[in-house]
Amino acid sequence: MKKSNFFAFISRMKYINRWGLMRNIKDENVSEHSLDVAVIAHALAVIQKRRLDKDVNPEKTALYAIYHDASEIFTGDMPTPVKYSNTVIKTAYKDVELAASRRLLKLLPEDFYSDYEGVLIPREDEKEIWKTIKAADKISAYIKCIEEEKSGNKEFLKAKQTILKDLISMDREDVNIFMSDFMDGYELTLDEME
C-alpha cells in the first residue's frame, strides 16, 4: 500500500489565514473557520429536518463542511472582493479550486476515493448540501464581523453590513430561524450569556 500525505496536508489548514485584506484583532485560520462552518451547517440542517420537515442528513452536511475550504491548502484564501470582482475571475477561481480538490483526492489511497470524492468535489445531486454550507459560510463570516466589532475593530463594519444583506437575500427559512434564535448570543459577553 502506498503511503499518503493527504491528512498531513489537511492538517496544514491551520496555517492558512483568512481575511488577508483586513486588519484583524484575532487572526482566523481555515481550520478554525471550517469547524465554525461545520457547526453552523449542522445546525442549519437540523433546523431543516426538525422545523422545516426536510429530508436532510445533518451529519453528512457537517462532514462536507469540515472540508469545504480544503482546496485552500493549495490555493490560499482569496479575498472575497477579489474572488467575486467579475465573472471571469470567479469562474477561473472555481476552476482552480476544483483542480486543487482533485489534487487532494489523488493524494488518498485509491480505496478511499469513493468515501472522499463527494466530500471534496461537489456533485450535482448534492447541491442542496452545498447551498446549506454556503449559507453557513456566510453566517460564519457575519459572526467574525461581530467578534471583531466587539473587540473595538471598526474595519469589519462595512463587511458586516454587506454580509447581512447577502444573508437576507438568500431568503432561506433555515437561515432566518438561525439568525432569529441563535444570533443574539454572539453579541453578548461570557458573563451575559450565563
Side-chain angles (χ1 to χ4, degrees):
M1 183 71 50
K2 134 185 155 170
K3 294 188 181 201
S4 169
N5 294 324
F6 176 84
F7 295 105
F9 270 107
I10 292 298
S11 75
R12 298 187 70 80
M13 289 196 300
K14 65 182 163 267
Y15 301 123
I16 312 294
N17 284 332
R18 295 174 41 79
W19 301 94
L21 295 178
M22 309 283 276
R23 181 179 61 81
N24 290 260
I25 297 292
K26 194 225 176 272
D27 289 334
E28 177 185 51
N29 64 53
V30 173
S31 187
E32 294 166 324
H33 168 70
S34 295
L35 174 62
D36 289 344
V37 172
V39 168
I40 296 164
H42 183 265
L44 291 176
V46 169
I47 290 167
Q48 293 167 22
K49 184 175 183 171
R50 300 288 177 216
R51 296 197 183 167
L52 304 176
D53 201 31
K54 293 188 178 184
D55 183 23
V56 298
N57 183 327
E59 293 76 20
K60 186 176 191 178
T61 303
L63 173 66
Y64 282 28
I66 290 169
Y67 289 91
H68 84 282
D69 277 342
S71 64
E72 292 183 5
I73 294 162
F74 297 124
T75 67
D77 178 47
M78 169 98 48
T80 298
V82 177
K83 191 187 307 186
Y84 298 109
S85 62
N86 65 55
T87 54
V88 173
I89 292 174
K90 182 180 175 185
T91 302
Y93 192 72
K94 290 267 180 224
D95 291 343
V96 169
E97 284 180 318
L98 182 59
S101 294
R102 287 190 174 128
R103 181 178 172 193
L104 268 173
L105 183 65
K106 292 292 184 190
L107 291 172
L108 285 162
E110 284 186 37
D111 57 331
F112 282 39
Y113 283 11
S114 63
D115 294 293
Y116 282 87
E117 187 171 19
V119 173
L120 296 170
I121 301 167
R123 295 192 318 238
E124 183 61 29
D125 63 327
E126 295 181 322
K127 66 182 175 187
E128 291 307 314
I129 289 174
W130 292 101
K131 286 181 181 179
T132 297
I133 293 168
K134 182 67 176 170
D137 195 41
K138 283 281 183 197
I139 292 171
S140 173
Y142 186 72
I143 292 166
K144 167 67 173 169
C145 294
I146 290 171
E147 290 170 348
E148 288 290 324
E149 185 179 4
K150 276 175 48 180
S151 297
N153 186 359
K154 295 182 181 185
E155 183 91 8
F156 283 76
L157 291 177
K158 177 82 167 106
K160 181 182 172 190
Q161 293 168 352
T162 301
I163 294 165
L164 182 58
K165 284 180 189 172
D166 291 345
L167 286 166
I168 292 167
S169 72
M170 284 181 170
D171 195 29
R172 291 179 57 108
E173 283 184 271
D174 56 342
V175 169
N176 295 340
I177 291 168
F178 186 93
M179 298 293 282
S180 172
D181 290 4
F182 302 107
M183 193 55 65
D184 288 350
Y186 291 96
E187 299 277 359
L188 304 175
T189 66
L190 179 61
D191 292 334
E192 292 170 329
M193 281 191 261
E194 295 186 27

